[in-house]
């Protein structure tokens, strides 16, 4: 029956087209597209824009007074502290939780960990003043009776604590500038840092130095002291025939530090990247060559001058060359070690200038918190860069591992934020743990960003894929579409029939069809 | 506001440091004057040294002999008055009687037959003592380095490597005329890069992962492609490569075991980028002593060269401390006439006729010349061969750098110091500090050299067969001696050579003794079959070659097809097969390696995949098109089709047109007829 074949054929044509469009195209697309794990881009964007504002760092501070009993002093100080903190625009919200000294709780922790919480000691004295402890997280506030009577004491405590004890937070967090490390001198924070101490001499004479005893005496305590923050690995070495190219400066007059920085050649020291730590600091003690500079380097005024090289370390340039068989004694090395130890604080970013640290304990405590916040910020920025990258390159693959890293990083971030926000937790152990976690956070976010497969697949062009499949897709598309168009254009048989002769019996049609198939 | 400063000292330490600093500040100021005085003193004694703030080395070539003597005495005497002065007044920088570090350098030069010259540079150094197994983050742990290169210990520590051997060798050692390899072959590798190490690890897997770290680190250190070493190139040797029996290696953790791992990159190019890091390892850094001769242009211009680094760990039981020892060697064989000719003519061009050395016994004229072999008489200096003079000596060693010449009686050798030549009885020359020196050789017959030591066995290996699906390996052992030689044959083959160990047999030929079978001479066999892309074939056997016998062992293998991406960019070049290592254990200890082989695998036409895609797609497109048309096109009976065809056929169309014309013309004809009638 001709009328039914037309309908059937039309149906087949439609079915094939539908198969092509609804099954073929999606399957082809699915099978040939690179895998892109669904990253929480919205959430990362919100973190980047700081829309969540879930960080509000609270540091517990205990007030201790042995002479008088002030039952409501901590509340009064709290009010003063809050108003003082609110007077400045905070880029990262932070506050202090003032509490009365709880001997039982603090003593317990003291026995195990030492001075864990920040304690403000109130001492009755003839004058008003304060002092920051050198080796403990302790602020001593001296007050006299008149300050109690005039009720100036809470304000005075608040001012001391906020502006002096928590000076680093006050300057870093309560200001317009962002948390981004802008210090050009300091290296970016890493939990493990390699310190390379080198003795360089322009000649090949054998020299020795009492470096081991000096380091054990003066550097080991520093390593121990900074260990919650940074772990150092140290190596020392003697390099011969290398004066960092300093002899070229000797012919010049009025050598400025710019000349020095232009002509100094650290290549041999920089190329030493055999250690596994990702960051390194250097100390180079340089002696000029006797061959080239017998009368010493003219631009060095004293016996030696120390120069700080940003993000690299320190160079100690000696005026006179070493004699054959010279040995540098501890007496010579100690002042250099001392200056290097002072500079390490600056190179680590613990302080901005070369001033001495007055209260290293408190500063390191604050630095930990700033580093935690900086790490969180850094991780957020890295994740945001990852989000931008994946959005910019739509054909780039995003492996599952990246998603897992991102998820883990975000969970870790919440965990750290919870630790920071807890107003009653704030001992050394907590900050150390948070610091370690924040380092992990940075690692995870960087692992996600620098995933090898993502970059590898980046330059696989979409056109290439099309070119490979075109020999298959071309003929099939042409056949399906043109066949379908012809089918639509074809007039139904009964319309044609009117002009043609009547049909023969259908049985004959079936027979003829068989013949055709055969 | 009053501000009180630090009450309690920070662990009492920084304060004590401040104290010292304050004390030191005064002493330092005091020291300046004193140092100036010292300078003046030195100037007096070093009278003939001019102020040389911008000059390099002091000595000009025109200097006389007396001048040398003066300088020599100064060098020896200068420190002494300084010690006294320093000791009296200052103790921040003291001058000690003698400081020396465990660093020795030695150069041996040995003429070989046919105008070749073997130069062997030998550098030895030791690290400072260290406590094994202590973490480097320990507050009191400091790694000190004096002359031992800083780069190695962190790598060795990280990978728990107790012994490391690196070989960079290239060129052909002509054993038949040059005799034994230097150091009995134990310090040179097969052509390319070879590395083996003994690592301490808990399991084989962890040993392998440590090994991966090690080769990757060394790859960066020596600028070699060792990062391409993976499981498919790595073997765990069973008998070969084991350290000599007299040395025992320490275990830092007694629950661990030692693993010996080896890999080689066959025919890897060795170049300046491998030599420069090696020279930088030495404290003299190529600025003094014999390292000044090591110039990449000349080293790699030689016929055969080998760089080697061996690091080992030694522990002292009394003190529980360990040291690393390092021996680095640079050996090369220079073709002297070729090198000298290159100095004269950097761009090779034909010699002018007057410089041609023709054999006068044979006919010669302006157009004919039978060239004589190279001159056998001559003199040359090391500076001509290396393009550089030896600058001074290594100052930090206990003994000065030494150059020894191994020559026969018809040779003379001298050291040239500042224009004058000196000779010694034993032909060993100690290098003088700061002097520009050169070693000269002269001989009336350069072909007459010290007798070369005979090689215990000659081994050569070659590929046999033709075609791209199978082949054979044939190893010929030749024992020229009057006593049997027992050796360990070590061979690793890539996984794409699938060997059939069952086909291994002793080839029968005219020279080989008839009554010997492979089972008689093969003592033990270790065979680890390859796993595709995971590990190579590892074959080791101990074999005894009877006296004055030549044997050929051969076996067959199949070549497998590689995956498309596994072919190197120059797939038609072939695949380098690393050399087999032969370690003679009896009667003497000797090691030699066969040449590398070049295996040709069937190389696909790399446009093939795209052609296959196009062909298959076309076929699939055709099938689909036919099927689609069958399903969708209208079916008609033959009559209908005929009818339609009739209607559409050309004949029918012509008929129709004809009919139309006819009717029209008929009509016109009728009209004309009618008109005419009228």
């Amino acid at each position: 029956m001709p009328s039914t074949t037309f309908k059937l054929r039309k149906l087949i044509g439609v079915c094939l087209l539908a198969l092509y469009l609804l099954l073929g195209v999606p399957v082809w697309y699915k099978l040939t597209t690179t895998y892109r794990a669904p990253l929480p881009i919205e959430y990362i964007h919100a973190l980047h824009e700081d829309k969540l504002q879930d960080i509000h760092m609270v540091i517990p501070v205990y007030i201790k007074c042995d002479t008088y009993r002030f039952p409501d002093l901590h509340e009064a100080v709290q009010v003063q502290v809050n108003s003082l903190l609110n007077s400045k625009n905070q880029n990262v919200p932070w506050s202090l939780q003032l509490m009365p000294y709880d001997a039982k709780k603090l003593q317990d922790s003291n026995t195990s960990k030492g001075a864990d919480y920040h304690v403000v000691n109130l001492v009755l004295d003839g004058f008003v003043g304060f002092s920051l402890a050198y080796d403990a997280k302790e602020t001593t506030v001296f007050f006299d009776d008149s300050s109690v009577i005039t009720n100036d004491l809470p304000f005075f405590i608040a001012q001391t604590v906020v502006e002096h004890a928590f000076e680093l937070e006050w300057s870093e967090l309560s200001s317009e500038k962002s948390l981004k490390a802008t210090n050009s001198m300091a290296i970016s924070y890493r939990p493990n840092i390699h310190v390379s101490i080198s003795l360089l001499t322009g000649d090949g004479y054998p020299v020795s130095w009492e470096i081991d005893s000096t380091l054990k005496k003066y550097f080991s305590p520093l390593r121990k002291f900074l260990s919650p923050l940074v772990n150092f690995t140290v190596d020392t070495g003697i390099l011969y025939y290398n004066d960092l190219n300093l002899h070229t400066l000797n012919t010049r007059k009025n050598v400025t530090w710019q000349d020095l920085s232009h002509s100094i050649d650290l290549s041999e020291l920089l190329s030493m990247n055999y250690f596994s730590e990702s960051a390194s600091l250097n100390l180079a003690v340089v002696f000029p060559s006797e061959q080239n500079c017998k009368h010493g380097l003219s631009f060095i005024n004293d016996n030696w001058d120390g120069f700080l090289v940003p993000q690299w370390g320190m160079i100690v340039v000696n005026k006179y060359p070493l004699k054959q068989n010279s040995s540098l004694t501890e007496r010579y090395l100690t002042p250099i070690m001392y200056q290097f130890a002072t500079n390490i604080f600056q190179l680590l970013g613990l302080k901005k200038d070369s001033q001495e640290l007055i209260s290293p304990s408190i500063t390191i405590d604050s630095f930990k918190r700033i580093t935690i916040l900086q790490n969180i910020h850094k991780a957020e920025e890295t994740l945001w860069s990852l989000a931008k990258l994946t959005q910019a390159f739509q054909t780039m693959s995003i492996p599952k591992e990246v998603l897992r890293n991102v998820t883990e990083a975000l969970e870790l971030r919440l965990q750290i934020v919870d630790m920071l926000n807890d107003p009653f937790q704030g001992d050394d152990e907590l900050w150390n743990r948070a610091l370690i976690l924040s380092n992990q956070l940075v690692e995870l976010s960087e692992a996600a960003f620098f995933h090898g497969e993502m970059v590898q697949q980046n330059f696989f062009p979409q056109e290439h894929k099309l070119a490979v499949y075109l020999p298959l897709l071309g003929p099939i598309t042409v056949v399906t579409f043109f066949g379908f168009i012809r089918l639509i254009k074809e007039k139904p048989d009964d319309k044609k029939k009117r002009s043609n002769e009547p049909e023969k019996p259908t049985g004959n049609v079936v027979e003829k069809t068989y013949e055709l198939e055969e | 506001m009053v501000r009180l400063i630090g009450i309690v000292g920070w662990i009492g330490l920084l304060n004590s440091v401040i104290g010292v600093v304050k004390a030191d500040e005064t002493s330092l100021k005091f020291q300046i004057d004193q140092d100036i005085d010292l300078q003046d003193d030195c100037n007096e004694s070093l009278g003939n040294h001019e102020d040389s703030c911008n000059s390099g080395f002091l000595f000009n070539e025109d200097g006389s002999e007396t001048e040398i003597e003066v300088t020599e005495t100064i060098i020896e005497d200068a420190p002494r008055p300084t010690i006294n002065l320093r000791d009296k007044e200052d103790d921040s920088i003291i001058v000690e009687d003698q400081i020396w570090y465990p660093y020795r350098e030695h150069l041996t030069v040995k003429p070989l037959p046919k105008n070749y010259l073997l130069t062997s540079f030998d550098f030895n150094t030791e690290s400072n003592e260290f406590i094994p197994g202590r973490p480097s983050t320990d507050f009191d742990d400091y790694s000190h380095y004096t002359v031992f290169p800083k780069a190695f210990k962190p790598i060795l520590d990280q990978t728990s490597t107790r012994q490391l051997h690196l070989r960079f060798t290239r060129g052909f050692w002509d054993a038949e005329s040059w005799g034994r390899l230097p150091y009995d072959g134990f310090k040179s590798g097969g052509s390319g890069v070879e590395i083996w190490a003994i690592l301490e690890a808990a399991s084989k897997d962890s040993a392998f992962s440590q090994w991966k770290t090690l080769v990757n680190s060394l790859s960066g250190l020596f600028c070699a492609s060792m990062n391409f070493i993976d499981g498919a190139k790595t073997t765990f040797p069973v008998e070969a490569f084991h350290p000599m029996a007299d040395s025992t290696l320490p275990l830092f953790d007694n629950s661990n075991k030692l693993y010996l791992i080896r890999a080689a990159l066959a025919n890897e190019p060795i170049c300046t980028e491998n030599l420069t890091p090696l020279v930088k390892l030495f404290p003299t850094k190529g600025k003094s002593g014999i390292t000044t001769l090591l110039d990449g242009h000349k080293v790699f211009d030689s016929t055969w060269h080998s760089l080697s680094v061996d690091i080992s760990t030694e522990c002292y039981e009394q003190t529980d401390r360990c040291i690393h020892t390092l021996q680095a060697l640079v050996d090369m064989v220079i073709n002297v006439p070729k090198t000298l000719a290159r100095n004269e003519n950097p761009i090779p061009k034909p010699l002018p006729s007057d410089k041609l050395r023709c054999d006068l016994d044979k006919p010669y004229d302006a157009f004919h010349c039978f060239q004589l072999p190279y001159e056998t008489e001559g003199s040359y200096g090391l500076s001509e061969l290396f393009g550089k003079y030896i600058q001074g000596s290594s100052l930090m060693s206990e003994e000065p750098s030494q150059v020894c010449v191994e020559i026969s009686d018809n040779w003379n050798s001298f050291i040239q110091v500042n224009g004058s030549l000196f000779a010694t009885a034993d032909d060993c020359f100690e290098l003088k500090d700061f002097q520009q020196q050169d070693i000269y050789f002269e001989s009336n017959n350069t072909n007459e050299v010290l007798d070369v030591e005979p090689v215990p066995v000659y081994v050569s290996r070659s590929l046999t067969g033709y075609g791209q699906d199978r082949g054979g390996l044939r190893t010929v052992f030749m024992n020229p001696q009057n006593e049997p030689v027992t050796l360990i044959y070590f061979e690793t083959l890539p996984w794409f050579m699938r060997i059939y160990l069952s086909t291994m047999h002793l080839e029968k030929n005219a020279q080989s003794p008839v009554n010997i079978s492979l089972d008689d001479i093969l003592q033990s066999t270790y065979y680890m079959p390859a796993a595709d892309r995971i590990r190579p074939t590892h074959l080791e056997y101990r074999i005894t070659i009877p006296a004055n016998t030549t044997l050929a062992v051969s076996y067959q293998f199949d070549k497998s097809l590689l995956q498309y991406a596994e072919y190197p960019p120059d797939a038609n070049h072939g695949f380098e097969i690393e050399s087999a290592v032969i370690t003679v254990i009896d009667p003497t200890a000797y090691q030699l390696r066969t040449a590398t082989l070049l295996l040709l695998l069937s190389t696909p036409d790399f446009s093939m995949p795209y052609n296959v895609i196009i062909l298959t797609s076309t076929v699939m497109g055709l099938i689909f098109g036919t099927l689609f048309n069958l399903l969708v096109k209208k079916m008609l009976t033959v009559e209908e089709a005929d009818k339609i065809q009739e209607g559409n056929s050309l004949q029918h169309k012509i008929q129709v047109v004809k009919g139309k014309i006819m009717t029209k013309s008929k009509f016109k004809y009728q009209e004309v007829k009618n008109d005419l009638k009228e």
Side-chain angles (χ1 to χ4, degrees), chain B residues 288-309:
Chain B
S288 78
I290 58 172
T291 49
T292 46
L293 288 179
L294 290 174
D295 177 2
H297 293 97
K298 299 290 175 182
V299 172
F300 299 110
D301 205 17
S302 57
T303 316
W304 177 86
H305 44 259
S306 158
L307 321 180
S308 78
V309 177

Side-chain angles (χ1 to χ4, degrees), chain A residues 115 133-137 217-232 341-342 344-345 348 350 357-368 428 432 435, chain B residues 8-14 137-140 142:
Chain A
Y134 198 71
D135 65 340
K137 286 157 70 174
K217 246 185 205 163
Y218 302 111
F219 203 70
S220 292
L222 182 76
R223 282 173 84 173
K224 200 174 170 190
F225 181 73
L226 286 174
S227 61
L229 196 64
V230 186
N231 275 323
F232 289 113
T342 327
I344 270 187
F345 286 95
L348 290 176
L350 277 160
L357 275 183
I358 299 156
S359 48
S361 227
I362 294 170
T363 312
I364 284 175
D365 190 51
S366 297
F367 186 73
K368 270 186 228 165
D428 275 348
N432 288 349
L435 185 64
Chain B
V8 193
W10 157 46
I11 325 169
L13 265 158
L14 273 182
T137 45
D138 190 296
F139 301 137
D140 267 339
Y142 297 96

Side-chain angles (χ1 to χ4, degrees), chain A residues 9 12-13 16 128-132 134-135 142 156 159 164 196-198 204-208 211-212 215-225 227 231-241 247 250-251 268 272 274-275 287 291-295 302-304 320-329 331-332 334-335 338 356 358 467-468 471-472 475-476 479-480 483-484 486-487 490 493 496 501 503-504 508-509 512-513 516, chain B residues 1-11 13-14 16-18 20-21 24 27-29 31-32 35-36 39 42-43 49-58 75 79 82 86 91-101 136-147 150-151 154-155 158 280 283-285 287-288 393 395-396 433-434 610 613-614 617-618 620-621 624-625 628 631-640 643:
Chain A
R9 283 187 292 116
I12 290 168
L16 281 174
V128 177
F130 75 93
S131 96
L132 301 173
Y134 198 71
D135 65 340
F142 303 97
F156 182 60
Q159 204 178 17
H164 297 285
S196 206
I197 300 171
S198 313
Y205 299 129
V207 292
S208 67
I211 190 70
D212 191 58
L215 284 175
K216 277 186 180 150
K217 246 185 205 163
Y218 302 111
F219 203 70
S220 292
L222 182 76
R223 282 173 84 173
K224 200 174 170 190
F225 181 73
S227 61
N231 275 323
F232 289 113
T233 50
V234 187
D235 70 27
T236 75
I238 304 175
L239 283 158
Y240 297 96
Y241 298 107
H247 62 270
N250 214 28
T251 46
E268 209 163 316
M272 291 183 181
Y274 42 81
F275 39 80
F287 286 90
Q291 305 279 342
N292 293 334
C293 308
K294 206 187 289 176
H295 297 296
D302 215 334
N303 213 11
W304 57 265
Y320 299 108
L322 279 177
K323 297 279 169 296
Q324 193 161 8
N325 299 332
S326 294
S327 177
L328 309 183
T329 58
R331 275 176 71 79
Y332 171 82
T334 308
Y338 174 74
E356 264 178 51
I358 299 156
V468 169
L472 178 68
I476 289 178
V479 167
T480 318
F484 183 71
R486 217 166 69 179
L487 212 60
E490 193 182 312
D493 288 353
K496 277 185 183 176
E501 280 175 46
E503 285 283 320
K504 292 250 164 108
N508 205 355
V509 175
K512 287 290 168 189
T513 321
L516 272 172
Chain B
M1 208 179 296
V2 191
R3 189 164 166 154
L4 297 174
I5 299 175
I7 303 161
V8 193
W10 157 46
I11 325 169
L13 265 158
L14 273 182
S16 73
V17 176
I18 299 167
V20 179
V21 175
D24 252 42
S27 73
L28 285 174
K29 273 177 192 151
Q31 197 194 332
I32 303 169
D35 255 343
I36 292 166
Q39 285 293 320
C42 286
N43 285 342
H49 285 220
E50 285 176 8
D51 187 1
S52 55
C53 245
N54 291 305
S55 66
F57 278 87
L58 295 166
I75 289 156
T82 339
R86 291 266 190 182
D91 61 347
S92 78
I93 300 180
I94 54 168
V95 173
E96 290 177 14
D97 281 347
Q98 190 68 53
I99 297 174
W100 61 269
Y101 288 113
S136 54
T137 45
D138 190 296
F139 301 137
D140 267 339
D141 184 83
Y142 297 96
S143 313
H144 301 294
Y145 297 90
T146 49
V147 285
K150 255 186 182 185
I155 299 174
Q158 201 190 344
K280 291 267 178 197
T284 51
K285 299 220 168 5
K287 302 243 170 71
S288 78
S393 169
L395 298 164
M396 59 269 310
D433 298 348
F434 308 113
Y610 197 71
I613 290 172
I614 290 177
S617 304
T618 313
M620 281 163 75
F624 177 76
F628 184 87
L631 288 170
V632 167
K633 278 200 172 164
K634 195 164 82 175
M635 294 288 171
L636 291 173
T637 57
V638 178
E639 286 80 3
E640 276 178 317
K643 211 159 275 172

Side-chain angles (χ1 to χ4, degrees), chain A residues 88-99:
Chain A
K88 267 200 186 180
N89 191 15
Q90 298 185 334
N91 66 15
V92 177
W94 72 290
S95 60
L96 300 174
Q97 179 70 35
L98 275 301
M99 280 174 282

Side-chain angles (χ1 to χ4, degrees), chain B residues 425-606:
Chain B
D426 59 350
D427 287 321
C428 276
F429 307 104
E430 289 193 349
L431 298 179
K432 298 275 176 284
D433 298 348
F434 308 113
Q435 308 273 350
Q436 185 171 289
Q437 293 147 104
D438 197 3
I439 310 290
Y440 269 97
F441 304 88
E442 58 174 39
S443 170
N444 50 21
N445 184 7
T446 50
N447 269 342
E448 211 167 285
V449 293
L450 287 181
D451 288 342
V452 291
E453 276 185 274
V455 180
V457 67
Y458 298 103
V459 183
S460 67
R461 188 179 62 158
S462 51
L463 285 169
T464 59
Y466 50 87
Q468 301 208 315
D469 52 350
R470 62 178 64 90
L473 258 185
R474 182 169 182 268
T475 315
V476 181
F477 298 90
M478 186 186 136
N479 181 2
Q481 298 187 103
N482 292 325
E483 50 185 332
V485 167
T486 307
L487 56 92
I488 299 164
Y489 182 85
F490 172 94
E491 186 172 54
T492 64
L493 300 170
W495 59 265
F496 43 81
M497 278 172 85
R498 296 165 201 269
I499 71 163
Y500 294 105
L501 210 60
S502 57
T503 61
M504 188 165 159
H505 68 285
L506 213 57
E507 278 186 17
K508 295 267 179 286
N509 55 30
Q511 291 109 36
S512 65
V514 192
N515 53 351
I516 274 186
S517 76
L518 197 60
D519 295 336
D520 299 337
I521 52 170
L522 214 63
Q523 278 142 26
S524 68
T525 313
Y526 173 84
Y527 173 60
M528 172 70 93
D532 281 6
R533 298 173 184 87
I534 293 168
R535 62 158 193 258
T537 306
H538 174 189
L539 178 65
E540 262 182 71
Y541 54 81
R542 193 185 277 239
I543 190 170
T544 306
I545 315 293
N548 297 312
T549 312
T550 303
L551 296 174
V553 177
S554 68
Y555 51 80
Q556 304 297 311
F557 63 86
D558 269 357
K559 297 176 184 177
S560 46
L561 283 173
L562 297 189
Q563 281 172 5
Y564 179 63
E566 281 170 344
Y567 284 91
D570 55 344
N572 283 308
H573 171 79
F575 291 79
E576 301 278 359
I577 308 298
E578 61 179 88
S579 34
V581 184
I582 293 96
T583 316
V584 179
I585 46 175
D586 188 56
T588 52
Y590 185 72
Q591 199 169 55
L592 73 149
R593 284 161 173 84
T594 63
T596 55
L597 298 172
L598 199 57
L599 178 77
L600 282 171
L601 290 185
S602 46
T603 313
D605 161 20
F606 287 96

